[in-house]
Amino acid sequence: MDLHDIFFLLVALALLIAFHEAGHFLVARWAGVHVVRFCIGFGKPILSWRDKRGTEFCIAVLPLGGYVRMLDWRDADAASHAPADPVLAERSFDRLKPQWRIAIALGGPGANFLLAFLFYWLIAVVGFSTTVPLVGIVAEDSPAYRAGLRGSEEIVAVDGRTTASWTDIGLALAARLGETGSIEIGTLKDGRAQAYAIAIEDWHSGASDPDPIDSLGIGFEPPAVIGRVLEDEPAMRGGLMARDRITHVDGEPIASWGGFVERVRASPGESLRLTVERQMDTERRTRVEQLRVTPAVREDDEGNEYGYIGAGLPTRLVQYGFFAAAGHALRETWSKSALTVEMIGKMLTLQVSPENIAGPITIAKVTSNSARAGFDKFLSVLALISISLGVLNLLPIPILDGGLVVLNTVELVRRKPVSARMEAMGARIGIALVAGLMLLAFYNDITRWFWTGS
């Protein structure tokens, strides 16, 4: 893990934790509770200040969490910071009605879902470019091949869920892990819609690192179809056009976009004879043409020469209007939340291996890589992590927000608080469970990034 990874890990944690704790803080203030401390991180504060209401805001040395400490006469440390003003001293958490305590507990996860919604809304309004998910080579005798896929189809839906990118496809397929039945794949090829049913049985049940797309035999590597041609670059000068499909280079077959790029990069300044299938009309008739393209000579950071022609894969711009983006963001937040809940349920029933639980090292790698890929990718990853944080905090585990909701709901039903002994016992169990979950996440990270090097 390099400095770039660490930087984006800190950015992600600071933003997500601050928003989560701000949710608790704002609802507590709304309920009239005196907040003693609002802290991002654990351990000794390295920066702190107070507002006019006497609340201490601080940033601590260990940025792996945060907390909002409210005045509570059951907590000796919090009570020791009680304000001298008798009116403020009455505004304690323990004197609130259970309904307000539940609202405060839900404020943190609610803020995480709101943050995800805002990120998805911003991405939709600004717009984002994504590679068209064209199927590459379909492995023979694979589930996808037996279902009828042969390659060059654009996947437009999985199980009825619209898929605009490979990321959408991966997430839709992940929702079916551990299941038996069939996955419905909707495709578009040459303007014709087609549906395929791919049979699965106990699909990746218990697998530690599943690859849903590859295991179905769907070629992730797209075919060598030209999507865009840059002005006054070798590709345009050589006569290449959008929607051309490269089938051969100097007589050698080209099976994928990666194979084509490899030939171009290996041939700086050399004339290449391209065999191209070109669509001629709206009836989708094609003809084969022979073109000559000479890649320009460029150098990488180490001074090595490589070829460049100025052509790219088919892409699309996805963009929504100001208000339509809100509907899109709401659907994205809901579907990703439902997927997270479903995955947790499958982990508990061992349909999905607990080895898929990620820790800070994985989060650092993912956020860093997404930041390199683009601003929209970075926000999308942050939205997904924010949703995961919100869902995890709603688990009915003592010391988590979900545990506090259960505790106060029981008090609301029984019309009397849970005994201090039971509450203390629940807290010890909760600490043990959370500590165990954190150790498992760290262990998974270590085995994933250091022992296996994956």
Side-chain angles (χ1 to χ4, degrees), residues 131-330:
T131 302
V132 176
L134 295 174
V135 176
I137 298 174
V138 180
E140 290 190 18
D141 201 33
S142 66
Y145 191 90
R146 290 193 293 271
L149 269 80
R150 293 296 182 267
S152 298
E153 303 97 335
E154 177 191 350
I155 299 178
V156 296
V158 175
D159 289 333
R161 181 188 302 176
T162 302
T163 53
S165 66
W166 282 111
T167 300
D168 292 342
I169 294 167
L171 289 171
L173 291 176
R176 301 298 305 277
L177 292 175
E179 297 184 12
T180 296
S182 64
I183 299 172
E184 301 296 325
I185 303 291
T187 68
L188 195 64
K189 184 176 182 179
D190 295 333
R192 297 185 179 91
Q194 183 70 43
Y196 302 90
I198 303 179
I200 56 173
E201 183 175 357
D202 294 329
W203 193 45
H204 290 294
S205 182
S208 60
D209 192 16
D211 187 341
I213 296 174
D214 183 68
S215 69
L216 294 178
I218 296 175
F220 183 81
E221 180 70 59
V225 175
I226 302 296
R228 64 187 188 281
V229 180
L230 300 183
E231 191 102 14
D232 199 31
E233 294 289 357
M236 177 174 284
R237 292 196 295 269
L240 277 173
M241 300 171 62
R243 298 167 67 191
D244 283 350
R245 178 168 183 170
I246 315 298
T247 61
H248 295 77
V249 174
D250 290 339
E252 296 181 9
I254 294 297
S256 67
W257 179 261
F260 176 57
V261 170
E262 187 177 339
R263 285 299 310 273
V264 169
R265 289 182 64 88
S267 309
E270 301 177 15
S271 177
L272 299 177
R273 178 168 54 87
L274 307 184
T275 303
V276 174
E277 283 186 1
R278 175 167 293 172
Q279 291 192 9
M280 297 305 301
D281 51 35
T282 55
E283 295 181 6
R284 303 176 187 87
R285 291 179 297 184
T286 62
R287 75 180 182 197
V288 177
E289 295 194 1
Q290 302 291 328
L291 302 175
R292 283 281 177 180
V293 175
T294 302
V297 180
R298 291 196 172 183
E299 290 188 359
D300 60 22
D301 294 338
E302 298 177 356
N304 300 314
E305 293 185 347
Y306 67 91
Y308 170 83
I309 64 170
L313 282 166
T315 60
R316 64 163 58 95
L317 178 66
V318 180
Q319 191 172 24
Y320 293 81
F322 189 88
F323 295 106
H328 168 78
L330 189 60

Side-chain angles (χ1 to χ4, degrees), residues 5-15 63 367:
D5 297 337
I6 294 172
F7 171 76
F8 281 101
L9 173 65
L10 294 177
V11 169
L13 289 178
L15 182 60
T367 53

